[in-house]
Amino acid sequence: MNVLVINAGSSSLKYQLMNPETGDVAAKGLCERIYIDGRLTHKVGDNKVEKDIPMPTHSEAIQAVLEILVDPVDGVIKSVDEIDAVGHRVLHGGMEFSDSCIVNDDVIKAIKKCIPLGPLHNPANLMGIEACQAVMPKTPQVAVFDTAFHMTMPPKAYRYAIPTEYYENDDIRRYGFHGTSHKYIARRAAALVGKTEFKMVNCHLGNGSSMSAIKDGKCMDTTMGLSPLAGVPMGTRSGDIDACVVQFICNKYGMSVDDCLTMLNKKSGVLGLSDGLSSDFRDLEAAAGEGNEACKLALQKFYYEVAKYVGAYAAALNGIDVLTFTAGVGENGITTRQAICDYLGFMGVKIDPEKNNVRGKETLISTPDSKVQVWVIPTNEELMIAQDTAELVNAAK
Ligand code: AMP
């Protein structure tokens, strides 16, 4: 089976043509500068092709992707009919979606209803879906929501302690994000530890970071909230912050709430703490190594907050069996993993420095006598989207 996985942003569109059973990627690429001029980067194995193609809308971008996929030289299939289904990443499923689903008119309406919750991403995700429907009307489309995995959280985890009317009238609650990644890691962890009933904390640590408390494969709590701003400090996001900070800054500097939120989303996190030096952990580690105090603090703050959430979730789950690290920093950050685990000795976490000396490879990094198995598991959101898509499309046959 061939599944085309699409992640449509406001001016870009990423794609992968993959086999959901084997995870093999036939081709992948990126359309950029949609609405501006249009640029396609297409990769088949190590071969890379770059083309300037006019992309006045997402529709032309999808068209360009389909054309290059069937191109006699750069393509990997003979006809668009060889694409059995399309899986779309959709950011916000609100309270409408607790699972992936085949796209129909009702699904489109419900995704539109979630636009106030995901104002930047949902319209772009919809444009991707509608563009595919237009150019390949007979091919089933599946929507995979970044929030869906977290819909198993109990009310005590997802409700904010504010008046009920905001939940009942406005759907204001914790939703959580990176759900496709957390779901993929929960499944891989179950396969690696060889059981389905166990308690784990997954640390998805990348430019955006979130953590989930997971019991028997189901999400019980997660660090991001109504938006991806909440939780641990990230590359450029502040993470959890007292709402009065917003009031104070807006009043003092005559800043609008929107501008203040842009500052908290784009100029904060480790970038803000490092005095604007970098949001990239490699740069911060290098500068900290040379004695830069701001970078040292940025890293210390990150390790500390991640470790605090592991402790909080271990309490919420009454102990954990497995701790997993994934995404750019989680998969590659040897120092980061060591520093976080150094806080967790009290709960019997012990990692082996030699085993921890690994990047981007599924590895058990804890010692045999550690009370908690600690794993590095590279995430694969595209594969999870392709698998959900294949499952739904096969079931509907
Ligand atoms: P992601 O958002 O998952 O793509 O993660 C991106 C982040 O991973 C980058 O900003 C880097 O900070 C981090 N990263 C990538 N490679 C390394 C590495 N070798 N060591 C530490 N951090 C890394």
Side-chain angles (χ1 to χ4, degrees), residues 338-373:
Q338 181 69 60
I340 293 164
C341 290
D342 282 347
Y343 279 100
L344 305 173
F346 79 95
M347 50 187 262
V349 169
K350 263 198 230 169
I351 63 167
D352 177 332
E354 266 175 45
K355 292 183 186 159
N356 184 40
N357 193 15
V358 67
R359 296 189 202 274
K361 206 168 129 227
E362 267 180 11
T363 312
L364 178 67
I365 60 169
S366 47
T367 59
D369 64 337
S370 174
K371 289 207 179 105
V372 176
Q373 282 193 18

Side-chain angles (χ1 to χ4, degrees), residues 173-238:
R173 50 164 280 177
R174 180 188 301 285
Y175 288 98
F177 298 87
H178 295 144
T180 313
S181 172
H182 287 291
K183 181 175 171 181
Y184 176 81
I185 300 299
R187 285 201 183 174
R188 278 308 302 153
L192 292 166
V193 303
K195 53 185 179 182
T196 51
E197 295 191 353
F198 64 98
K199 296 177 282 187
M200 65 179 272
V201 171
N202 181 40
C203 307
H204 176 113
L205 311 178
N207 190 33
S209 293
S210 69
M211 298 167 60
S212 286
I214 300 166
K215 183 167 184 275
D216 306 342
K218 292 198 165 56
C219 181
M220 294 291 125
D221 206 344
T222 194
T223 54
M224 285 178 166
L226 176 78
S227 85
L229 181 61
V232 293
M234 311 179 203
T236 64
R237 295 190 192 116
S238 62

Side-chain angles (χ1 to χ4, degrees), residues 142-389:
V142 169
V144 178
F145 300 91
D146 221 27
T147 49
F149 178 69
H150 303 301
M151 291 308 280
T152 49
M153 284 189 287
K156 66 184 176 188
Y158 72 69
R159 283 289 296 276
Y160 289 126
I162 60 173
T164 305
E165 63 202 74
Y166 297 108
Y167 170 67
E168 289 186 345
N169 300 340
D170 307 301
D171 296 347
I172 292 187
R173 50 164 280 177
R174 180 188 301 285
Y175 288 98
F177 298 87
H178 295 144
T180 313
S181 172
H182 287 291
K183 181 175 171 181
Y184 176 81
I185 300 299
R187 285 201 183 174
R188 278 308 302 153
L192 292 166
V193 303
K195 53 185 179 182
T196 51
E197 295 191 353
F198 64 98
K199 296 177 282 187
M200 65 179 272
V201 171
N202 181 40
C203 307
H204 176 113
L205 311 178
N207 190 33
S209 293
S210 69
M211 298 167 60
S212 286
I214 300 166
K215 183 167 184 275
D216 306 342
K218 292 198 165 56
C219 181
M220 294 291 125
D221 206 344
T222 194
T223 54
M224 285 178 166
L226 176 78
S227 85
L229 181 61
V232 293
M234 311 179 203
T236 64
R237 295 190 192 116
S238 62
D240 295 336
I241 193 153
D242 181 345
C244 285
V245 171
V246 176
Q247 182 196 36
F248 187 98
I249 290 175
C250 289
N251 285 344
K252 176 149 190 206
Y253 295 101
M255 215 188 246
S256 68
V257 171
D258 281 4
D259 285 347
C260 189
L261 265 289
T262 301
M263 180 273 286
L264 293 175
N265 272 299
K266 302 220 165 10
K267 294 190 179 161
S268 301
V270 291
L271 175 70
L273 280 174
S274 69
D275 297 337
L277 189 127
S278 181
S279 60
D280 191 301
F281 278 69
R282 288 162 290 197
D283 298 340
L284 298 174
E285 283 175 13
E290 287 162 12
N292 183 311
E293 292 300 326
C295 291
K296 280 190 203 166
L297 175 65
L299 292 170
Q300 291 304 328
K301 174 74 177 167
F302 181 76
Y303 307 149
Y304 175 71
E305 295 295 340
V306 172
K308 255 168 65 179
Y309 264 114
V310 177
Y313 285 168
L317 296 175
N318 191 20
I320 57 167
D321 308 295
V322 175
L323 175 66
T324 46
F325 287 99
T326 195
V329 184
E331 291 165 26
N332 299 297
I334 296 164
T335 317
T336 298
R337 290 189 302 252
Q338 181 69 60
I340 293 164
C341 290
D342 282 347
Y343 279 100
L344 305 173
F346 79 95
M347 50 187 262
V349 169
K350 263 198 230 169
I351 63 167
D352 177 332
E354 266 175 45
K355 292 183 186 159
N356 184 40
N357 193 15
V358 67
R359 296 189 202 274
K361 206 168 129 227
E362 267 180 11
T363 312
L364 178 67
I365 60 169
S366 47
T367 59
D369 64 337
S370 174
K371 289 207 179 105
V372 176
Q373 282 193 18
V374 185
W375 285 86
V376 174
I377 307 180
T379 196
N380 194 338
E381 292 168 80
E382 290 79 12
L383 180 56
M384 195 70 252
I385 293 174
Q387 287 177 346
D388 269 10
T389 302

Side-chain angles (χ1 to χ4, degrees), residues 32-144:
E32 290 169 287
R33 300 176 59 86
I34 307 173
Y35 297 97
I36 306 166
D37 37 29
R39 181 154 192 81
L40 173 75
T41 309
H42 178 75
K43 283 189 201 158
V44 179
D46 292 334
N47 278 349
K48 186 162 122 183
V49 187
E50 285 178 297
K51 287 187 177 183
D52 290 328
I53 301 173
M55 294 175 189
T57 70
H58 282 74
S59 192
E60 288 79 10
I62 293 280
Q63 193 72 54
V65 171
L66 297 181
E67 272 168 26
I68 199 142
L69 286 173
V70 301
D71 186 90
V73 179
D74 300 316
V76 288
I77 49 175
K78 288 204 176 68
S79 145
V80 170
D81 296 340
E82 289 176 47
I83 300 173
D84 300 290
V86 185
H88 296 268
R89 175 180 185 254
V90 181
L91 180 84
H92 218 305
M95 299 222 282
E96 306 286 324
F97 297 101
S98 53
D99 220 333
S100 306
C101 58
I102 296 187
V103 174
N104 57 29
D105 290 349
D106 289 339
V107 169
I108 300 259
K109 263 189 223 146
I111 297 174
K112 283 189 180 153
K113 207 176 145 197
C114 299
I115 287 178
L117 296 167
L120 296 179
H121 294 83
N122 275 35
N125 302 150
L126 268 172
M127 281 189 271
I129 294 175
E130 288 174 339
C132 281
Q133 283 179 321
V135 293
M136 44 202 313
K138 292 200 196 106
T139 312
Q141 317 276 328
V142 169
V144 178

